Amino acid sequence: MCFAYSQFIKTFGSVAETSHIRPIEDKIISLLHQRDKRAVELIYTHYGGTLLGVISRILKSEELAEDIFQDAMVKIWKNAASYDKSRGRLFTWMINICRNLAIDVLRSKKFQATLKIQNADQLVSSENAPSYSFNPDQIGLVELVGKLKPEHIAIIEIIYYKGHTQKEAAEALEIPLGTVKTRLRIALRELRQLLGIGHT
Amino acid sequence: MLELYASGLLSPEEIGEVEEMVAKYPEVKDELMAIEESLAVHASQFYKAPKPALLDSIMARIEEEEEKEQVEVQDQTQVQDQTQTQAEESTTIGDFQGKKEPKVRKFNLLSLMAVAATLLLLISVISNVVLYQQLSETEQALASLQDQQDTNVKEFEALRTNYNIVTDTAYKPVHIHGLPSHENAFATVYWNPINQAIYLDASFMDAPDADKTYQLWAIKAGQDPISLGVFDTLDSLQDVAAKIGGDVAAFAVSLEPKGGSEQPTDVWMVGNV
């Protein structure tokens, strides 16, 4: 583990949901394999906030996000057998499930229709406020991520939380298509540096 | 590429390529894990504590899903597991009765079929025996009728011959009457003087004693009686094989010891031509 990340942990305390607490993840994986429903409780307790947060970030509607969060938890339970530990962390796998479900809803015609009749002001305000309920640990993280260049925050936001394709991202940010990929790579490298994860 | 992969922006083909690379090269894998880790940490900033009621609702839905799955699994395996399940659950009276029912029905059907098959076989065997007996009886009856027919034909032929001889004017009927000591005895000789044929009708004569026999004689003037053969009882006209030429004065019948005699010993009947 790199110095910057240790520094981050020291500075802001443990953000439970970032789950560098591997023993809990291992425990959950083993419970999932045994089809023990306590796994769901552990996921809910340790990762529920981030999973719901990701969904809320994508869908902007608290009620809808809660519905999709439930769907995602059931899907995680049902598809647990398809999780392959060698291909990445359980936490990442779970985030991707939530993200994909939420983006599917975001792209559905029904959601697009409801979105249109919503007040434009509401949308703007919610976009400006990334979290609905702050937890003391995450304030530090928000500040840390806030140190990224605005263009890097935007590219991560638009690809990761708006479900835009590269082409859509290029149009929304008014940049050439080729730049999207480059900018995303640089943004993620900056983020990693900031968080002190892996070699950079 | 890895950034796009982590963002879910790749085509299924590209995803396959990335996963292949990740599996092959540990450093690629580390790189991807680092990207995913930073995105996961990044995601943590949106933390939003879920309401406790959500957990209850999630657990309820998972229970529901599991029941649905179990029902499906049960439906699928019910047929093949039935026998096993019966064996396992036979200690519980309720289940025992509930689950055993189909097996009993199957068993009943099987025994019903067995009974039906046995009955059919039995009926078939009985029918065969009866029909075979009827066939035998019919064959016997036919044989008996054929015998009867043969007999009738023979008798008819004999009667026709008798009739022909009796009605043939070439034959001279010679009635042989009993002498006073045997006055009830009677016979007739049909004699054809042209071809010398002789027929004897002795059907009204009683059978002689066991050690005796009748003997027929031809009497010619100035000669000893000429034997024409012996007989016991005669049902119909008898062709007498012996031939005699010339004038015959009379025919006579005598009672002789078994085998006959050279000369008549006890003459019973005489008939003049």
Side-chain angles (χ1 to χ4, degrees):
Chain A
M1 192 164 288
C2 201
F3 170 75
Y5 194 48
S6 317
Q7 193 61 48
F8 166 73
I9 296 298
K10 267 185 204 159
T11 314
F12 304 111
S14 76
V15 178
E17 309 243 337
T18 60
S19 314
H20 12 280
I21 315 153
R22 292 302 171 94
I24 285 179
E25 228 178 273
D26 289 342
K27 173 79 178 163
I28 291 170
I29 291 166
S30 120
L31 286 173
L32 280 173
H33 282 158
Q34 295 159 27
R35 304 306 290 155
D36 187 329
K37 288 190 213 59
R38 278 178 297 171
V40 178
E41 285 179 36
L42 283 178
I43 293 168
Y44 180 89
T45 308
H46 293 272
Y47 303 104
T50 297
L51 299 179
L52 178 60
V54 167
I55 295 166
S56 299
R57 183 68 181 167
I58 294 165
L59 293 177
K60 319 286 188 200
S61 151
E62 193 177 344
E63 199 183 329
L64 190 57
E66 283 179 349
D67 283 352
I68 302 305
F69 174 62
Q70 291 182 51
D71 290 349
M73 290 293 281
V74 173
K75 194 172 180 182
I76 287 165
W77 170 255
K78 278 177 77 175
N79 293 6
S82 71
Y83 166 66
D84 181 357
K85 200 176 174 183
S86 71
R87 276 155 68 177
R89 286 187 51 194
L90 179 71
F91 183 43
T92 311
W93 180 76
M94 291 192 300
I95 289 180
N96 283 335
I97 285 179
C98 293
R99 208 178 135 253
N100 291 337
L101 277 179
I103 286 171
D104 284 348
V105 172
L106 191 66
R107 283 179 180 164
S108 72
K109 282 175 186 164
K110 197 178 163 192
F111 184 81
Q112 291 294 337
T114 47
L115 204 61
K116 274 175 192 162
I117 59 164
Q118 272 187 326
N119 192 320
D121 292 341
Q122 275 182 316
L123 278 175
V124 170
S125 69
S126 65
E127 271 182 33
N128 290 341
S131 317
Y132 299 89
S133 59
F134 288 96
N135 122 4
D137 291 338
Q138 89 195 91
I139 298 167
L141 182 61
V142 172
E143 279 178 8
L144 193 65
V145 173
K147 287 180 180 171
L148 285 170
K149 287 185 187 169
E151 60 182 49
H152 292 153
I153 294 176
I155 190 81
I156 293 172
E157 181 74 19
I158 210 161
I159 295 285
Y160 214 66
Y161 296 99
K162 279 197 159 51
H164 279 20
T165 62
Q166 291 181 75
K167 191 165 168 282
E168 286 165 348
E171 283 164 5
L173 298 171
E174 296 174 333
I175 53 170
L177 186 61
T179 311
V180 174
K181 207 191 278 185
T182 318
R183 192 174 287 182
L184 180 65
R185 192 168 65 237
I186 294 166
L188 288 174
R189 199 175 59 205
E190 294 293 317
L191 178 65
R192 280 169 62 187
Q193 265 178 344
L194 208 59
L195 298 175
I197 296 167
H199 318 279
T200 46
Chain B
M1 197 74 157
L2 288 175
E3 291 84 4
L4 294 173
Y5 175 82
S7 310
L9 285 178
L10 295 182
S11 67
E13 210 172 273
E14 291 169 319
I15 288 171
E17 281 169 28
V18 170
E19 286 180 347
E20 204 176 300
M21 295 290 280
V22 167
K24 236 186 242 175
Y25 305 105
E27 56 270 37
V28 176
K29 189 188 166 187
D30 289 348
E31 185 73 7
L32 178 65
M33 299 271 271
I35 291 170
E36 287 188 334
E37 182 77 17
S38 42
L39 279 169
V41 175
H42 179 267
S44 300
Q45 67 178 312
F46 306 120
Y47 181 97
K48 186 176 187 303
K51 293 171 190 158
L54 279 181
L55 180 60
D56 298 336
S57 152
I58 288 162
M59 295 310 280
R61 279 186 54 185
I62 283 172
E63 297 274 355
E64 219 172 90
E65 289 283 332
E66 287 216 310
E67 275 168 28
K68 229 187 282 172
E69 269 173 41
Q70 272 177 355
V71 167
E72 277 166 21
V73 169
Q74 267 177 5
D75 284 349
Q76 281 167 359
T77 55
Q78 202 166 22
V79 179
Q80 58 254 55
D81 281 354
Q82 210 165 42
T83 320
Q84 202 186 336
T85 315
Q86 280 159 10
E88 282 168 4
E89 295 186 353
S90 61
T91 44
T92 324
I93 291 164
D95 284 344
F96 179 76
Q97 287 173 340
K99 305 247 174 173
K100 186 108 185 191
E101 198 177 16
K103 195 186 176 184
V104 169
R105 200 161 51 213
K106 216 187 271 177
F107 174 73
N108 275 347
L109 187 64
L110 205 66
S111 25
L112 204 67
M113 282 169 71
V115 168
T118 312
L119 275 176
L120 284 173
L121 182 66
L122 205 66
I123 289 167
S124 168
V125 167
I126 291 170
S127 305
N128 281 345
V129 169
V130 168
L131 286 173
Y132 180 74
Q133 282 178 347
Q134 283 178 349
L135 179 66
S136 303
E137 282 168 13
T138 308
E139 278 177 344
Q140 280 174 2
L142 180 65
S144 141
L145 281 172
Q146 277 172 341
D147 286 351
Q148 189 66 48
Q149 168 77 353
D150 289 348
T151 311
N152 287 348
V153 166
K154 276 179 194 160
E155 283 182 358
F156 175 77
E157 290 298 325
L159 284 173
R160 176 179 288 278
T161 310
N162 289 359
Y163 176 79
N164 286 344
I165 290 162
V166 168
T167 53
D168 191 340
T169 50
Y171 283 90
K172 280 188 177 175
V174 180
H175 300 295
I176 307 170
H177 299 283
L179 295 172
S181 52
H182 304 286
E183 57 186 2
N184 290 328
F186 178 79
T188 307
V189 165
Y190 295 90
W191 177 48
N192 186 338
I194 299 155
N195 66 7
Q196 304 296 319
I198 300 166
Y199 283 88
L200 172 66
D201 174 14
S203 52
F204 297 107
M205 307 238 335
D206 294 328
D209 290 341
D211 57 338
K212 303 282 184 183
T213 188
Y214 296 116
Q215 195 162 1
L216 180 67
W217 307 90
I219 313 294
K220 281 189 169 178
Q223 287 183 22
D224 286 338
I226 302 155
S227 172
L228 295 177
V230 295
F231 64 92
D232 293 330
T233 51
L234 296 172
D235 288 332
S236 65
L237 216 56
Q238 177 73 38
D239 182 7
V240 178
K243 306 265 190 277
I244 45 162
D247 290 335
V248 176
F251 290 97
V253 171
S254 65
L255 188 69
E256 302 297 333
K258 210 89 184 153
S261 311
E262 289 288 316
Q263 289 298 314
T265 43
D266 179 9
V267 175
W268 278 24
M269 303 131 80
V270 176
N272 294 318
V273 173

